[in-house]
Amino acid sequence: MFSPFPIIFRERLDFFEISMDNRSIYFCPEIRGYGKQGSVLRGVYILTSNGNGYTPQAIRNRNYQVIINLLRESEVRSIRDIVLRSSLSKTAVKRIIDNLLEAGLVCPAGKGQSSEAGGKRPELFMLHAGQVYALSCIFGQNGFRFILVDLKLQVIDCVDALTLYPGASYQQITQSMADAIRQFLMRHPEVCDRLCCICFSAAGIISYSDGVLINPIHNNQWGSHLPFLSDMRKLLPMSCPFYFDNALRFAAYYEQMMDPSLQKGSVLMICYPRDNIGGSILQDSQLVHGRFGLSGEFGHILTDFALSETCSCGKTGCIESVAAHKRVVARAERELQNWPMSVLNGRELSFASISNAADTGDIFAQRQMDFLVHQFSTLIYNLQIAIDPDILVLKCYTDHVPMHYFSSSIQETVNRLSLVNTPIPIRIHVDQHGDDYDMMYHNIICGGALYGFDRLFYTESMFNEFIARYVDGRASAVKQREESEKAVPPLDSRTL
């Protein structure tokens, strides 16, 4: 179509610009592999500069976002690797990497392997993990624990006060925790300007959107509808974002984000530590909280109407009330006297001894585990009907307990209950590499920190502020310094 206005076509580093009648349209290749799902997309964005779309600055920031997240997902990357995964030009990638090097966010990581055809070995780059930090904390009625981690989730320092305040009130815990965080940050003054978030977690029903602890199920003496984030903001007047979520939801988030195969579609994860059951639902790597924060409170789904064991929530029939390790042991102690042939007679009963005996064929131990299998199969059956996830994961935290009989039996039972007459794959992960509580706390706290980092690097507004501060701010400071140096007249040797 004929246009009376001159059309100007310019090829930029990161996009193409077509100008006409003092207005511009920007064509930018759509990024492949953008986002944690790693999906491959094709096509172009049509981005206008008239206020209804992206500006060149926004396109530039998006390209930074893609490259930084690619570096987060791998220990090291070469320029060529980033070009292939981002669809950006080599010139654009190299320029961004140079800027990130100058800002200190990226550092060289040596040389890679040359291609099969030979040639020059590529330079490798990695994120400078010590440029951004997150503080993550878990608390309850007996105390708190928090850690400081860098971008690689390496622990820089920690404070463990989980048992220092037995039976403390809500006010005592929040005040003590805030005091400890202030003292902690005073010991690490270099961190304060680089702290991207503080993440808090606790057991109970938590309204993520407004930071309210609606029902601290295991700490009923605290009351309900506690404005936790608002209280912490008053005690800790800091500019970085605060996040607050259910502890096992963060643990499940950590497990899922560490496994690329769990980052697409809908994933339901059930976490089974020693005395609690919880978890999360993720949709394309995004946590699903629900209206009241009930999503993931799987331990309080009713699975048993025969026993009258009271749950910590005050009700009966919850799976948590019958599947907690201490409840499994208590039932076995009551029934063992009727089984004189069991290898467990004369031994100190524990969840580990019962599970191990079941693995070796002890009939009594297998009956105890069968009851547990029935409870979890009922739970999984109901969750599959309600949610119908793409992937279901059962994560068991144990102390050197393989749980072979439990794992095989639960898969068989769930398949028998299935309404679709098709085997339903359940991934059962049994973590038996040490103290179950230590591993659970590690996943909770690291999950909170990882969640905070993901919010920074995947939320457009927060990431734009990050780039403005660390990249543009650094470049502006360098430019001002260079200009001031030019303004100083050279020294005349005759005046010395």
Side-chain angles (χ1 to χ4, degrees):
M1 182 178 69
F2 173 77
S3 170
F5 305 104
I7 298 176
I8 304 172
F9 178 86
R10 301 184 183 90
E11 182 177 356
R12 305 296 192 183
L13 282 173
D14 304 334
F15 51 86
F16 299 103
E17 176 184 358
I18 300 176
S19 297
M20 182 178 67
D21 189 23
N22 296 322
R23 299 176 66 181
S24 296
I25 297 178
Y26 304 97
F27 291 84
C28 177
E30 188 166 10
I31 304 304
R32 290 185 298 161
Y34 173 72
K36 297 191 73 63
Q37 295 81 14
S39 56
V40 178
L41 306 173
R42 307 294 294 184
V44 296
Y45 290 125
I46 300 179
L47 310 169
T48 66
S49 63
N50 60 0
N52 296 325
Y54 288 94
T55 64
Q57 180 69 26
I59 300 172
R60 169 182 171 274
N61 286 353
R62 181 181 172 84
N63 292 339
Y64 271 94
Q65 191 176 20
V66 171
I67 290 176
I68 287 178
N69 281 311
L70 284 173
L71 290 170
R72 287 183 67 213
E73 293 169 6
S74 179
E75 189 68 26
V76 296
R77 290 197 188 275
S78 66
I79 296 288
R80 182 175 182 275
D81 182 29
I82 296 173
V83 168
L84 291 174
R85 293 176 182 272
S86 68
S87 292
L88 295 172
S89 69
K90 181 178 179 181
T91 305
V93 171
K94 189 174 187 312
R95 181 181 181 184
I96 290 174
I97 289 293
D98 288 342
N99 290 342
L100 293 174
L101 284 167
E102 185 177 350
L105 294 172
V106 166
C107 55
K111 299 280 189 179
Q113 298 293 326
S114 58
S115 63
E116 295 180 359
K120 187 178 179 181
R121 295 169 60 194
E123 292 185 34
L124 300 177
F125 302 92
M126 62 186 296
L127 281 180
H128 192 308
Q131 288 292 342
V132 186
Y133 299 92
L135 192 68
S136 185
C137 178
I138 181 173
F139 67 93
Q141 64 176 347
N142 297 323
F144 52 84
R145 175 188 291 180
F146 59 83
I147 61 171
L148 178 72
V149 297
D150 62 18
L151 269 175
K152 297 294 184 182
L153 296 182
Q154 298 298 311
V155 178
I156 307 302
D157 200 356
C158 66
V159 169
D160 191 347
L162 274 173
T163 58
L164 289 186
Y165 306 91
S169 68
Y170 168 76
Q171 291 75 17
Q172 289 171 327
I173 286 293
T174 52
Q175 184 65 62
S176 300
M177 187 162 51
D179 292 342
I181 290 174
R182 277 195 299 269
Q183 295 171 11
F184 180 84
L185 293 176
M186 287 176 64
R187 298 204 311 266
H188 298 277
E190 75 284 357
V191 168
C192 295
D193 290 338
R194 300 176 181 179
L195 195 63
C196 79
C197 65
I198 301 180
C199 297
F200 298 95
S201 57
I205 310 299
I206 295 167
S207 175
Y208 171 82
S209 59
D210 53 13
V212 173
L213 182 52
I214 297 176
N215 184 355
I217 292 174
H218 300 283
N219 310 306
N220 291 321
Q221 72 275 20
W222 282 6
S224 63
H225 293 84
L226 304 167
F228 175 76
L229 272 195
S230 176
D231 292 339
M232 293 307 293
R233 277 289 183 197
K234 295 173 184 175
L235 295 170
L236 291 170
M238 302 174 64
S239 59
C240 66
F242 286 11
Y243 301 108
F244 181 38
D245 213 334
N246 177 273
L248 288 183
R249 193 176 286 137
F250 274 153
Y253 185 81
Y254 176 80
E255 292 284 347
Q256 290 167 314
M257 292 303 101
M258 292 295 102
D259 186 344
S261 68
L262 300 179
Q263 295 171 16
K264 295 180 181 179
S266 59
V267 179
L268 190 153
M269 176 167 282
I270 304 170
C271 292
Y272 178 33
R274 193 180 304 171
D275 293 322
N276 309 101
I277 296 173
S280 72
I281 302 170
L282 267 79
Q283 182 64 48
D284 293 328
S285 300
Q286 299 297 314
L287 278 174
V288 177
H289 293 91
R291 181 180 177 185
F292 296 109
L294 289 169
S295 176
E297 286 292 334
F298 306 136
H300 303 287
I301 292 178
L302 304 183
T303 60
D304 188 275
F305 297 92
L307 298 180
S308 58
E309 299 183 55
T310 303
C311 181
S312 56
C313 69
K315 298 178 175 60
T316 59
C318 300
I319 185 173
E320 191 172 289
S321 68
V322 295
H325 289 194
K326 61 184 178 183
R327 300 293 177 91
V328 175
V329 173
R331 281 194 302 275
E333 288 174 341
R334 292 195 299 267
E335 300 173 15
L336 182 58
Q337 59 183 345
N338 299 322
W339 293 79
M341 301 301 292
S342 172
V343 298
L344 292 172
N345 278 288
R347 297 185 186 180
E348 181 180 356
L349 285 184
S350 66
F351 184 84
S353 65
I354 297 170
S355 179
N356 289 336
D359 290 349
T360 57
D362 184 84
I363 302 300
F364 170 74
Q366 288 182 348
R367 286 195 59 172
Q368 301 303 311
M369 299 307 290
D370 285 343
F371 177 78
L372 198 60
V373 166
H374 173 72
Q375 301 300 316
F376 272 98
S377 299
T378 303
L379 171 68
I380 291 170
Y381 174 76
N382 289 329
L383 288 174
Q384 284 180 327
I385 290 178
I387 301 170
D388 194 19
D390 295 314
I391 302 172
L392 192 149
V393 181
L394 173 59
K395 171 72 176 184
C396 303
Y397 295 92
T398 67
D399 187 1
H400 301 288
V401 184
M403 297 179 69
H404 295 310
Y405 181 82
F406 173 85
S407 300
S408 60
S409 297
I410 201 168
Q411 181 69 75
E412 179 183 341
T413 305
V414 169
N415 287 340
R416 189 169 64 249
L417 291 173
S418 172
L419 290 177
V420 295
N421 298 320
T422 302
I424 298 176
I426 303 172
R427 302 188 190 182
I428 302 176
H429 297 171
V430 179
D431 199 320
Q432 52 170 322
H433 302 297
D435 184 86
D436 50 345
Y437 265 27
D438 275 350
M439 182 57 65
M440 179 186 71
Y441 283 128
H442 169 272
N443 289 1
I444 291 170
I445 296 178
C446 287
L450 180 60
Y451 183 83
F453 284 135
D454 284 346
R455 299 287 70 71
L456 170 63
F457 291 109
Y458 286 103
T459 304
E460 184 176 350
S461 59
M462 294 176 65
F463 184 80
N464 290 346
E465 291 179 9
F466 174 79
I467 289 297
R469 178 180 179 184
Y470 284 91
V471 178
D472 299 338
R474 177 72 175 266
S476 177
V478 170
K479 184 177 180 180
Q480 289 179 3
R481 186 173 65 248
E482 291 175 349
E483 290 177 351
S484 63
E485 290 174 354
K486 291 178 181 179
V488 177
L491 289 175
D492 190 335
S493 59
R494 292 176 295 179
T495 63
L496 297 178

Coordinates of all heavy atoms in Angstrom, one line a residue, residues 102-103 471-485:
E102 N 30.6 -6.4 33.2 CA 31.0 -5.1 33.7 C 30.2 -4.8 35.0 O 30.8 -4.2 35.9 CB 30.7 -4.0 32.7 CG 31.2 -2.6 33.1 CD 31.0 -1.5 32.1 OE1 30.7 -1.9 30.9 OE2 31.2 -0.4 32.4
A103 N 29.0 -5.2 35.1 CA 28.1 -5.0 36.3 C 28.5 -5.9 37.4 O 28.0 -5.8 38.5 CB 26.7 -5.1 35.9
V471 N 22.6 -2.8 36.3 CA 23.3 -2.7 35.0 C 23.3 -1.2 34.6 O 24.3 -0.6 34.4 CB 22.6 -3.6 33.9 CG1 23.2 -3.3 32.6 CG2 22.7 -5.0 34.3
D472 N 22.1 -0.6 34.5 CA 22.0 0.8 34.0 C 22.7 1.7 35.1 O 23.3 2.7 34.7 CB 20.6 1.2 33.8 CG 19.9 0.3 32.7 OD1 20.7 -0.3 31.9 OD2 18.7 0.2 32.7
G473 N 22.4 1.4 36.3 CA 23.0 2.3 37.4 C 24.5 2.2 37.4 O 25.2 3.2 37.5
R474 N 25.1 1.0 37.2 CA 26.5 0.8 37.1 C 27.1 1.5 35.9 O 28.1 2.2 36.0 CB 26.8 -0.6 37.1 CG 28.3 -1.0 36.9 CD 29.1 -0.7 38.2 NE 30.5 -1.1 38.0 CZ 30.9 -2.3 38.4 NH1 30.1 -3.2 39.0 NH2 32.2 -2.7 38.3
A475 N 26.4 1.4 34.7 CA 26.9 2.0 33.5 C 26.8 3.6 33.6 O 27.8 4.3 33.2 CB 26.0 1.6 32.3
S476 N 25.8 4.1 34.3 CA 25.7 5.5 34.5 C 26.8 6.0 35.4 O 27.3 7.1 35.1 CB 24.3 5.8 35.1 OG 24.2 7.2 35.3
A477 N 27.1 5.3 36.4 CA 28.2 5.7 37.3 C 29.5 5.7 36.6 O 30.3 6.6 36.8 CB 28.2 4.8 38.5
V478 N 29.8 4.7 35.8 CA 31.0 4.7 35.0 C 31.1 5.8 34.1 O 32.2 6.5 33.9 CB 31.1 3.3 34.3 CG1 32.3 3.3 33.3 CG2 31.3 2.2 35.3
K479 N 30.0 6.1 33.4 CA 30.0 7.2 32.4 C 30.2 8.6 33.1 O 31.0 9.4 32.7 CB 28.6 7.3 31.7 CG 28.6 8.3 30.6 CD 27.2 8.3 29.9 CE 27.1 9.4 28.8 NZ 25.8 9.3 28.1
Q480 N 29.6 8.8 34.3 CA 29.8 10.0 35.0 C 31.3 10.1 35.5 O 31.9 11.2 35.5 CB 28.9 10.1 36.3 CG 27.4 10.3 35.9 CD 26.6 10.3 37.1 OE1 27.0 10.2 38.3 NE2 25.2 10.4 36.9
R481 N 31.9 9.0 35.9 CA 33.3 9.0 36.3 C 34.2 9.4 35.2 O 35.1 10.2 35.3 CB 33.6 7.7 36.9 CG 35.1 7.7 37.6 CD 35.4 6.4 38.3 NE 35.4 5.3 37.4 CZ 34.5 4.3 37.4 NH1 33.5 4.4 38.3 NH2 34.6 3.3 36.6
E482 N 33.9 8.8 34.0 CA 34.7 9.1 32.8 C 34.6 10.5 32.4 O 35.6 11.2 32.0 CB 34.3 8.2 31.7 CG 34.7 6.7 31.9 CD 34.2 5.8 30.8 OE1 33.3 6.3 30.0 OE2 34.6 4.6 30.7
E483 N 33.4 11.1 32.5 CA 33.2 12.5 32.1 C 33.9 13.4 33.1 O 34.4 14.5 32.7 CB 31.7 12.8 32.0 CG 31.0 12.1 30.8 CD 29.5 12.4 30.8 OE1 29.0 13.0 31.9 OE2 28.8 12.1 29.9
S484 N 33.8 13.1 34.4 CA 34.5 13.9 35.3 C 36.0 13.9 35.2 O 36.7 14.9 35.4 CB 34.1 13.5 36.8 OG 34.6 12.2 37.0
E485 N 36.5 12.7 34.8 CA 38.0 12.6 34.5 C 38.4 13.4 33.3 O 39.4 14.0 33.3 CB 38.4 11.1 34.3 CG 38.3 10.3 35.6 CD 38.5 8.8 35.4 OE1 38.6 8.5 34.2 OE2 38.6 8.1 36.3

